[in-house]
Structures are given as C-alpha cells and as structure tokens.
Amino acid sequence: MASLADLIEAYIQRLVEAGEGVAEIQRTLLAERFRCAPSQISYVISSRFSPERGYIIESRRGGGGYIRLIRVELEDEDLQEMMSQVGSYLSQSEAYDYLERLFDEGFMDEKTFQVMRAATSRKALTLVLPDRDMIRANVFKAMLNAYFATRQRSEES
Amino acid sequence: MASLADLIEAYIQRLVEAGEGVAEIQRTLLAERFRCAPSQISYVISSRFSPERGYIIESRRGGGGYIRLIRVELEDEDLQEMMSQVGSYLSQSEAYDYLERLFDEGFMDEKTFQVMRAATSRKALTLVLPDRDMIRANVFKAMLNAYFATRQRSEES
DNA sequence: GAAATGAAGGTCAAGGAAAGACAAAGGCAA
DNA sequence: TTGCCTTTGTCTTTCCTTGACCTTCATTTC
C-alpha cells in the first residue's frame, strides 16, 4: 500500500521533472496540501531525495523560505557506484584513494582534486575518531555531488 | 517566494551595476517605493552589501542625507588578508559571503565555488555549534590554500 | 552667531515566519 | 516480538519586518 510518504515522493518527483531537474518547494505549503506535519516533508526529502540518491538540497529559513532540490545525474556508472559505496564513515586513506582514481581517470581536474584532498585531510578535520570519519563522509559526498552537478550545468550552456 | 528583502536587494544591485560600482540611495525614498519601514533598507544593506561581500558603505544623516554603496574590487593581496581574517570560527553565512565574492570577481571558477560551498555547508558539517564553526574555519582555510597553490602552479606553466 | 527645528540615517529589540533537529509514538512485516 | 519505516509533535535556529528611540546634519529664526 502506498504510504503518504510515497505519495509525497511521487508529487515531488513530478515537480523535479517539470522543472528539468530543479524543484523549489515550501515545506509548510506542501504539508498543508497533504494535511500532514511539516516535518513529514522533511522526512520524505531526507529519505528519498538525499545526496546518496543524487540530489542536492538547498534551503532557506524564515520569511520567504524554501527548499530547493537539484537532481544530479552521474552519467557514469562508476561514479554512481562510488557515491553509494561511501557509507556513513570514510577514512582519510579511503577518501584519498577515491580522489586519486577520479583524477587519474580524468573525471576531475587538478584544482578540484587538491581542494577536495585538503577538505578531507586529517589536518582540516580536527575531530576525535568516530566523528572525524563521519564528517569526512558527509563532506566528501557533498563535494562530489556539487562537482558533478556543476559540470552538468556548465556543459548544458 | 522571493521576500521583500530579495526584491530590494535586486533593485539595489541594478543601481550599482548602472552606476558602474557606485550607487547612491536615499533610505526614506527607497522605503516609500517599496512601502516598508526605512530600517528594512538598512537591513538589506547590512545583510547583502556587507564588507565581506565587497562593499564599502558611506552615509550621511540629516537633510540631504544619503547612503552610498561602493563595490570594491578584490586584489591579489587581499586574499592573504581574507585568510587571516578567518579566525578559528566561521559561520556558514560568512563562508558563503567570502566564496560569493571570490566567484563574482573571477578569482574562482564555478566548480570550485560550488564544491567549497558544499564542503562548508551546514548539511555536510553535522556537528553541534561551537564545533561546527571551528571545523568550517579549518576546512575553508585548507581548501583556499590548496586552491591558490594549485592555481599558481598551473599559471606558471 | 547661537539656538531651535526638522529632516535625514543608525541602532536595537521584539515579533513573526519558515525550515531544521530530534525524540516519541504508531504500524507493519518477518 | 522485534525491528524497520512512518508520522507527529516540540523545541531550536535562521531570517524577515516593523517600530520606537537616538544621533547627526542643514536650515531657519532670533
């Protein structure tokens, strides 16, 4: 049986398609339309439109707030797999290996390679160990998404 | 939905562009045009045309008063200063302001801009507040260093 | 020329609007 | 039962908008 979350997912999906990969929603409004708690919308977004599933989420609070979803298509299967392989924790050496591979295989330019290395280095992430690997995983995935999203957008124009 | 502040920002932006980097406005008049409180104009200016975003603000009170906005171009030497201005803690909005400026003024390509935005976003740095701003400062400085180091090398060759 | 007056802009706090975080409760399938 | 998903509710954070009061400056008045 389709749950409410499924219905909301389908609705947002249509919005994204209509917007050619970009949808802007207002949480409160959507919640009213589906007669549910606003946090239900948050739940759908975090469980169905996460970075792992290839979406970038931007938002703003306060008056005139919004949530913007941007779909990222990783045209290459390997990239897609890499994104899903990176779990909740990522060590420095794993991150460096991934980056090395992306750079060597020509998926990534040198500047981005160096920037991402710096961002995932132990020196930048001065945290104790379970936390450090968790933040590194988040940062890594967010950067990768952003990088390939931008590549897509600038290739379009 | 664009808030009033967004509309006022866009309006002032056009004024600055039309004036080739300089705009002179009267707070009361602008407020009347947008049917809002004069302090709303002050809010827009302080939140959108801050020094971090590269603006100098001059003003005079009393009869014939005005507010003058001057867009300042970023020089190479300023980068060093930016690095040192970023202390041990950096909020998301401060980071975004810096990046916006670097991108707008052509110091940074769009991909790096988006990648660095992603890496310093609240979404990626899922930590409690004093920690989050501290890690953001570290990550930001590390990435900036890496970027300009690489940029210099590729420019030399 | 000094004092009064009015016309600006500056500051700050309060209130409201909207999204985020998180925990608790509910449902359903194995 | 147990362990996931869902769903809701509460509290927090961020951002916008307004209003009251303060400071500065030019102009008028004496």
Side-chain angles (χ1 to χ4, degrees):
Chain A
M1 188 204 70
S3 65
L4 180 54
D6 292 337
L7 298 179
I8 296 172
E9 176 187 10
Y11 182 83
I12 295 177
Q13 199 65 64
R14 283 201 299 280
L15 284 185
V16 172
E17 270 153 32
E20 282 163 12
V22 183
E24 203 166 293
I25 66 179
Q26 278 180 277
R27 197 179 74 149
T28 318
L29 260 151
L30 242 196
E32 272 167 22
R33 168 184 288 256
F34 284 96
R35 304 203 197 311
C36 65
S39 44
Q40 172 79 309
I41 307 300
S42 303
Y43 170 69
V44 172
I45 289 172
S46 65
S47 62
R48 269 86 158 170
F49 297 89
S50 60
E52 284 84 357
R53 301 209 182 191
Y55 288 87
I56 289 175
I57 306 165
E58 295 173 353
S59 69
R60 209 166 78 185
R61 304 184 187 189
Y66 59 82
I67 303 176
R68 185 184 299 138
L69 301 174
I70 304 165
R71 188 180 54 209
V72 185
E73 281 147 30
L74 302 180
E75 67 276 26
D76 193 278
E77 299 291 326
D78 295 342
L79 290 177
Q80 196 117 31
E81 214 196 307
M82 179 181 296
M83 284 294 290
S84 52
Q85 260 184 19
V86 177
S88 304
Y89 298 89
L90 186 68
S91 72
Q92 177 178 288
S93 58
E94 285 172 319
Y96 281 14
D97 284 350
Y98 279 131
L99 292 174
E100 200 85 26
R101 221 180 94 207
L102 288 167
F103 178 51
D104 287 348
E105 295 183 11
F107 283 109
M108 183 171 283
D109 62 75
E110 193 191 347
K111 274 185 290 196
T112 308
F113 171 66
Q114 294 294 352
V115 165
M116 287 189 63
R117 254 179 89 94
T120 52
S121 76
R122 215 168 284 146
K123 272 174 79 174
L125 305 173
T126 51
L127 294 162
V128 291
L129 235 197
D131 291 0
R132 188 168 69 216
D133 283 3
M134 185 198 67
I135 296 297
R136 184 182 288 113
N138 287 345
V139 168
F140 183 81
K141 285 185 280 191
M143 289 192 298
L144 220 53
N145 258 322
Y147 181 73
F148 289 109
T150 313
R151 198 166 72 151
Q152 219 172 283
R153 262 181 292 183
S154 48
E155 272 169 4
E156 271 167 19
S157 56
Chain B
M1 189 202 64
S3 64
L4 181 54
D6 291 338
L7 299 178
I8 297 172
E9 176 188 9
Y11 182 83
I12 296 178
Q13 196 68 62
R14 283 200 300 280
L15 284 185
V16 172
E17 268 154 33
E20 281 162 15
V22 183
E24 204 166 292
I25 66 181
Q26 278 180 280
R27 197 177 75 148
T28 318
L29 258 144
L30 241 196
E32 271 167 21
R33 169 185 286 257
F34 284 96
R35 302 200 200 315
C36 66
S39 46
Q40 173 79 305
I41 308 300
S42 303
Y43 170 71
V44 171
I45 289 172
S46 65
S47 63
R48 268 88 157 167
F49 297 89
S50 60
E52 282 83 7
R53 296 201 188 190
Y55 289 88
I56 289 176
I57 303 163
E58 295 172 353
S59 68
R60 214 166 74 186
R61 305 183 186 189
Y66 60 83
I67 303 175
R68 186 184 298 142
L69 302 175
I70 305 165
R71 166 126 230 197
V72 189
E73 305 262 311
L74 207 54
E75 308 284 331
D76 262 331
E77 307 86 62
D78 297 332
L79 290 174
Q80 211 50 48
E81 211 200 308
M82 181 183 290
M83 293 283 288
S84 58
Q85 262 185 17
V86 177
S88 306
Y89 298 90
L90 185 67
S91 73
Q92 177 180 285
S93 58
E94 284 171 325
Y96 281 16
D97 281 352
Y98 282 131
L99 293 174
E100 190 95 43
R101 192 165 176 216
L102 289 167
F103 174 55
D104 283 353
E105 302 201 17
F107 276 82
M108 184 170 281
D109 62 81
E110 191 187 351
K111 276 187 287 197
T112 308
F113 170 65
Q114 295 292 352
V115 166
M116 287 189 62
R117 254 178 86 96
T120 52
S121 78
R122 217 170 280 144
K123 287 252 168 49
L125 305 172
T126 51
L127 295 162
V128 288
L129 237 195
D131 293 0
R132 188 166 71 215
D133 283 3
M134 186 198 67
I135 297 298
R136 184 181 289 113
N138 287 346
V139 169
F140 183 81
K141 285 186 279 193
M143 290 192 298
L144 217 54
N145 261 323
Y147 181 73
F148 287 112
T150 314
R151 194 180 74 146
Q152 275 180 355
R153 258 187 300 142
S154 49
E155 270 171 2
E156 273 164 16
S157 59

